[in-house]
Amino acid sequence: MANTILVGAQWGDEGKGKIIDVLTERADVVVRYAGGNNAGHTVYLGKKKYVLHLIPSGILRRNKLCVIGNGVVIDPLGLVSEITGLQKMGIKVGRNFVVSETAHVVFPYHRELDAQREVLKGKNKIGTTKRGIGPAYGDKVARVGLRMGDLIDPARLEARLSLRIKESNSVLKALGGQPVSFKQVLADYNKAGKFLKPFVENTVVLLHKAMRRGEDILFEGAQGTFLDIDHGTYPFVTSSNTTAGGACTGSGVPPHRMDRVVGVLKAYTTRVGEGPLPTENQEISDLLHGMGREFGATTGRARRCGWFDSVATRHATMVNGIDDLAVTNLDGLDTVATIKVCVAYRHGKKRYDYMPNDAAVLAACEPVYAEFEGWLTPTHKAKTWKQLPPKARAYLKAIAELTGAKLFIASVGPARDQTIFV
Ligand code: GDP
Ligand code: IMO
Ligand code: MG
């Protein structure tokens, strides 16, 4: 399979967890390289549902090494409960799991700052997951953050945390937030550090050793292209590079060792949180929510839904260098008589074939739609390309062509065996 980067080609929640689980069969190592526990990746094994937030989705397969790379921000208390939760469900998390010693740590003051900044923004809020992601990456870039290597060294943790809490509490007080207790945080984080210490390693060296042994690495993207701090709909984005370039910086594996990029996209569009979503549509939102679908895996919020947006996925193909497409949730459109696809945006007299950079311009764009006849047949039992209704095949071919990459997988349900290799 070689080294493969898997990215979300829309606004997150494209079904990356499911596709990672399918592709992991042919990989040796799975690496998370960006984001934190703002992510929620869903995998079904039979009827059992697993939602992974920090641990790579590859953990559900035996004999795969799972790595949290340096580009991730880690809430240690969240990670401990994710590990023990999986272990209680009978999943092995031991020597098959490694955490980078240079990944940054999320503290309670990051979560509190995240919440206070949202309150201050009022109606302009981002709609974050309130997991402290933005403030934790902020500290990393400002060179004042603590890393996993600091967490597992009690003396260093105490000294550095004491300084950070002083500054953070004064900011929190000024914003009207709740200061955090140094004593409590130190006790909780020392306990988590002790638990996590056996997992913490130099993951850059570890990954290069794996490559020297000829092992194949799968890079598990979190979030999606338009939540990327540089390439997304700023400021309605997350705080990391979620796009393919992030896989290199967030793991220490250089660009020339990357062989392939797989883009995951839904057969329609969803977004959770605030910010522009040009093809948003009430009818399709009601339809999907009525089916009990499209509620957030991390926060439970109802996702906003809309028609497939090929301007966005074309742009994602360009920015990530997507070779292959995995289209998920095709079955969500089984009952729609006329399916719309956005082929371009119009803004006054200007036509856009790629995403405009300015979120205000994007919010004012009108989608230009093409229409496709729906197949009006259940697809969830299809196992092969030929078993899909001809109109569903035509739809998939059209969205792949508009997106500008090769159709690789069509997914017709959450389970492993509801995956068609095209
Ligand atoms: P991720 O964050 O990209 O991993 O995606 P999420 O897990 O947050 O959300 C995707 C949702 O779609 C999950 O509930 C998956 O179980 C589900 N899913 C993925 N592929 C399919 C599919 O082809 N059909 C259906 N019905 N559900 C799917
Ligand atoms: P996965 O990996 C969908 C969104 C939040 C908010 C914005 C910023 O499951 O696809 P943050 O807490 O990161 O500061 O929030 O980004 N967001 C996601 N939306 N899927 C995700 O992850 C997301 N992670 C963050 O809703 O709009
Ligand atoms: Mg998700």
Side-chain angles (χ1 to χ4, degrees):
M1 187 166 94
N3 293 341
T4 301
I5 304 172
L6 182 137
V7 290
Q10 294 161 326
W11 277 271
D13 301 328
E14 295 90 348
K16 297 177 294 294
K18 177 202 156 153
I19 301 299
I20 284 281
D21 172 64
V22 169
L23 297 183
T24 303
E25 191 178 6
R26 286 181 272 169
D28 303 294
V29 185
V30 187
V31 184
R32 267 284 303 270
Y33 60 82
N37 61 353
N38 49 349
H41 297 176
T42 315
V43 182
Y44 280 88
L45 297 189
K47 289 221 157 62
K48 257 193 183 172
K49 178 182 174 181
Y50 299 85
V51 181
L52 287 312
H53 297 288
L54 277 162
I55 300 178
S57 306
I59 201 78
L60 302 175
R61 294 215 183 236
R62 282 166 170 272
N63 304 322
K64 308 290 174 183
L65 179 64
C66 290
V67 178
I68 298 186
N70 55 276
V72 174
V73 289
I74 299 175
D75 181 333
L77 274 51
L79 181 55
V80 171
S81 74
E82 197 170 330
I83 293 171
T84 52
L86 284 172
Q87 287 170 336
K88 273 188 204 134
M89 289 174 96
I91 304 295
K92 180 186 164 191
V93 189
R95 295 189 61 181
N96 56 340
F97 177 57
V98 183
V99 180
S100 166
E101 56 195 5
T102 59
H104 277 249
V105 179
V106 181
F107 285 94
Y109 48 82
H110 293 132
R111 282 197 302 275
E112 188 64 26
L113 271 170
D114 193 352
Q116 285 309 319
R117 283 183 185 154
E118 286 282 89
V119 171
L120 273 178
K121 283 196 166 120
K123 67 178 184 25
N124 296 319
K125 70 174 194 231
I126 296 167
T128 74
T129 60
K130 299 203 175 74
R131 297 295 189 273
I133 304 297
Y137 276 114
D139 276 2
K140 173 180 176 173
V141 176
R143 299 160 297 178
V144 294
L146 276 78
R147 311 197 289 186
M148 289 303 286
D150 303 316
L151 178 78
I152 60 172
D153 178 335
R156 235 157 65 187
L157 176 67
E158 184 166 0
R160 296 197 180 168
L161 185 63
S162 141
L163 275 178
R164 284 313 299 144
I165 287 205
K166 261 189 210 137
E167 184 191 314
S168 303
N169 275 349
S170 57
V171 175
L172 276 173
K173 272 188 218 146
L175 295 180
Q178 282 295 319
V180 300
S181 150
F182 170 61
K183 242 173 108 181
Q184 187 64 50
V185 177
L186 185 64
D188 292 345
Y189 276 59
N190 259 325
K191 196 169 158 207
K194 206 168 162 195
F195 180 97
L196 293 172
K197 193 171 178 179
F199 300 104
V200 177
E201 252 192 64
N202 182 331
T203 52
V204 176
V205 173
L206 177 103
L207 290 173
H208 281 263
K209 279 186 180 162
M211 286 191 288
R212 262 178 246 134
R213 288 194 298 269
E215 294 181 2
D216 292 332
I217 307 176
L218 183 54
F219 294 86
E220 175 171 351
Q223 289 80 52
T225 300
F226 300 102
L227 293 173
D228 183 284
I229 185 74
D230 285 281
H231 302 289
T233 51
Y234 192 90
F236 303 101
V237 292
T238 190
S239 297
S240 65
N241 282 119
T242 62
T243 44
C248 294
T249 52
S251 71
V253 175
H256 76 288
R257 298 305 305 268
M258 301 298 187
D259 300 297
R260 179 188 184 207
V261 181
V262 174
V264 186
L265 49 160
K266 278 178 176 148
Y268 45 90
T269 307
T270 66
R271 168 168 210 168
V272 58
E274 308 302 318
L277 186 64
T279 63
E280 187 165 15
N281 178 277
Q282 197 58 46
E283 198 184 321
I284 184 147
S285 282
D286 292 345
L287 170 80
L288 293 162
H289 294 149
M291 291 154 83
R293 298 163 67 139
E294 303 308 344
F295 293 94
T298 295
T299 57
R301 291 178 290 177
R303 295 174 182 149
R304 299 154 62 194
C305 306
W307 300 112
F308 187 83
D309 182 345
S310 74
V311 179
T313 57
R314 190 180 304 132
H315 195 100
T317 297
M318 176 172 75
V319 168
N320 294 289
I322 294 172
D323 302 295
D324 294 304
L325 300 172
V327 180
T328 68
N329 287 277
L330 182 71
D331 54 304
L333 298 176
D334 284 351
T335 58
V336 184
T338 304
I339 304 172
K340 290 188 185 182
V341 169
C342 169
V343 294
Y345 301 149
R346 197 162 281 138
H347 183 263
K349 286 197 174 130
K350 198 168 156 72
R351 178 188 159 111
Y352 285 92
D353 294 310
Y354 293 93
M355 295 286 265
N357 277 323
D358 186 337
V361 172
L362 181 60
C365 279
E366 283 291 326
V368 178
Y369 285 115
E371 290 190 353
F372 291 81
E373 267 182 61
W375 43 94
L376 303 176
T377 317
T379 54
H380 66 281
K381 288 194 174 139
K383 299 275 180 249
T384 63
W385 177 247
K386 285 221 168 108
Q387 284 172 8
L388 282 174
K391 284 177 184 161
R393 280 185 263 157
Y395 178 72
L396 286 168
K397 276 190 181 165
I399 61 175
E401 196 167 305
L402 285 162
T403 298
K406 193 169 149 280
L407 189 60
F408 165 49
I409 284 175
S411 169
V412 292
R416 269 181 195 167
D417 65 357
Q418 291 175 301
T419 311
I420 297 167
F421 286 87
V422 181

